[in-house]
Amino acid sequence: MAEPIRILLQTTIASTEDDWSIFRFSLLQNYLKSIQDESGKPLFTVLSRDRSSDADGNDPILGTLDQSDFDELWLFALDTGDGLTDKDIAGINAFRKRGGGILTTRDHQDMGCSMCGLIDIGDVHYFNTKNPDPDDSRWSRDDPHTTYISWPNYHSGANGDYQKIIPVEPVHELLHNPNSPSGLIEFFPSHPHEGGIGVKPNNLNSQVIALGKSLVTHRNFNLIVATEHHTDTEKNRLGRAIATSSFHHFVDYNWDIEKGCPSFVDEPPGNGMKLEPRALEDIQAFVLNAALWLAR
């Protein structure tokens, strides 16, 4: 009998009641825990935690992640530069070098920029002051409503609503949903100010697999980047990686607005996810696809 795939869901911030701490990702955790194989055994075991610091300021799990028994890291980068230490980054990179799969996500402007030192991952996430989008025409606000947030901040819709995603041809296996009328994932939770991701021309191992569209400027933006296995100069076969433009694709509030949000969220929510059941089914299909794909 195959062992369950071991997944670590981790934020880069300390536990704080009035923030996007890991308890606000309970629907994601519960969904992953609910999935069973054909014999009724759990497909995944899941540990969820916020960042903590030892006496030297390092996270005791991330700093030694390569020595753990985890198969995957799902990293919700919610900091603005101080969420990962050098030792944390070294531990995550070593984990990937031993074949561990990683999903990373962030949000607007510089949120999550502590990831810049991660192999491949640091290259595909674009921020305002670090590793900006190579297309400087995107160095401007997309969302004009929340004026204290700067670029990248793509407005795909209200929290609680859904967006219609655009698959990039040929359609990647991560976007398949056999229960959808089209056979594909069509919807993702929306957010008023998603971050920036992309693939530079010299990156042969990563590809943009889905786009979103701004409801303000009607400009397309990159929604998901997938990075395949590849071998580095030290002959390590690196695990797969996925980057998405916003952690709001996975947080409770964007799956069900009745779960609530931190007090600093001031944009009015929508109710599209509640009115269109297929939207929740699609993001759950992506979660399952991602968890299986990263483990292979």
Side-chain angles (χ1 to χ4, degrees), residues 15 22 34 46 65 67 71 99 112 125 131 133 139 143 146 156 168 189 205 212 239 250 257 259 263 279 281 291:
S15 298
I22 199 65
S34 74
V46 184
L65 193 62
Q67 301 168 39
D71 301 300
H125 282 282
N131 193 41
D133 193 318
W139 297 3
D143 168 36
T146 309
S156 64
V168 175
N205 305 306
F250 306 102
I257 56 170
K259 290 290 186 179
S263 61
E281 292 168 5

Side-chain angles (χ1 to χ4, degrees), residues 11-267:
T11 73
T12 60
I13 58 172
S15 298
T16 306
E17 182 71 23
D18 194 28
D19 207 340
W20 296 110
S21 295
I22 199 65
F23 76 92
R24 297 189 186 275
F25 294 82
S26 65
L27 295 178
L28 170 65
Q29 174 180 285
N30 292 339
Y31 175 65
L32 284 167
K33 286 184 173 181
S34 74
I35 302 170
Q36 300 178 343
D37 64 19
E38 294 177 354
S39 65
K41 301 291 186 181
L43 268 179
F44 309 104
T45 60
V46 184
L47 174 65
S48 299
R49 65 187 296 272
D50 289 308
R51 176 182 174 76
S52 64
S53 299
D54 61 18
D56 296 318
N58 302 306
D59 186 283
I61 291 184
L62 295 182
T64 57
L65 193 62
D66 58 311
Q67 301 168 39
S68 73
D69 63 356
F70 289 111
D71 301 300
E72 299 178 17
L73 168 65
W74 291 37
L75 188 65
F76 306 105
L78 311 178
D79 62 278
T80 53
D82 59 353
L84 297 173
T85 66
D86 289 345
K87 184 175 180 182
D88 298 338
I89 290 170
I92 295 170
N93 283 337
F95 171 76
R96 181 120 180 276
K97 288 180 179 182
R98 68 132 163 108
I102 302 180
L103 182 146
T104 55
T105 187
R106 35 72 69 94
D107 207 43
H108 58 258
Q109 200 169 333
D110 277 339
M111 186 176 284
C113 64
S114 65
M115 296 190 293
C116 284
L118 297 178
I119 299 168
D120 297 321
I121 293 163
D123 290 332
V124 302
H125 282 282
Y126 300 148
F127 302 100
N128 183 280
T129 63
K130 295 183 178 181
N131 193 41
D133 193 318
D135 179 358
D136 60 10
S137 71
R138 293 182 177 269
W139 297 3
S140 60
R141 282 191 178 93
D142 184 272
D143 168 36
H145 307 300
T146 309
T147 55
Y148 56 84
I149 290 175
S150 190
W151 59 269
N153 62 348
Y154 298 102
H155 186 103
S156 64
N159 294 312
D161 281 340
Y162 61 83
Q163 58 182 305
K164 188 78 162 57
I165 75 171
I166 306 167
V168 175
E169 298 287 347
V171 177
H172 196 278
E173 62 183 291
L174 283 168
L175 300 181
H176 292 170
N177 181 3
N179 297 319
S180 166
S182 66
L184 301 177
I185 292 168
E186 300 179 37
F187 306 115
F188 250 47
S190 59
H191 180 56
H193 28 79
E194 306 204 22
I197 57 175
V199 177
K200 296 171 184 175
N202 62 344
N203 185 340
L204 304 180
N205 305 306
S206 303
Q207 60 179 315
V208 176
I209 66 169
L211 309 175
K213 181 182 284 289
S214 167
L215 297 186
V216 174
T217 63
H218 307 293
R219 191 174 195 181
N220 290 347
F221 64 94
N222 298 328
L223 192 76
I224 309 169
V225 169
T227 301
E228 265 293 354
H229 290 291
H230 61 96
T231 302
D232 66 12
T233 56
E234 299 170 342
K235 307 301 181 184
N236 298 302
R237 186 173 186 263
L238 275 65
R240 287 168 161 170
I242 297 170
T244 83
S245 52
S246 177
F247 73 90
H248 283 274
H249 304 149
F250 306 102
V251 78
D252 290 355
Y253 184 56
N254 291 74
W255 289 19
D256 178 1
I257 56 170
E258 293 182 5
K259 290 290 186 179
C261 61
S263 61
F264 54 77
V265 176
D266 54 12
E267 299 93 358

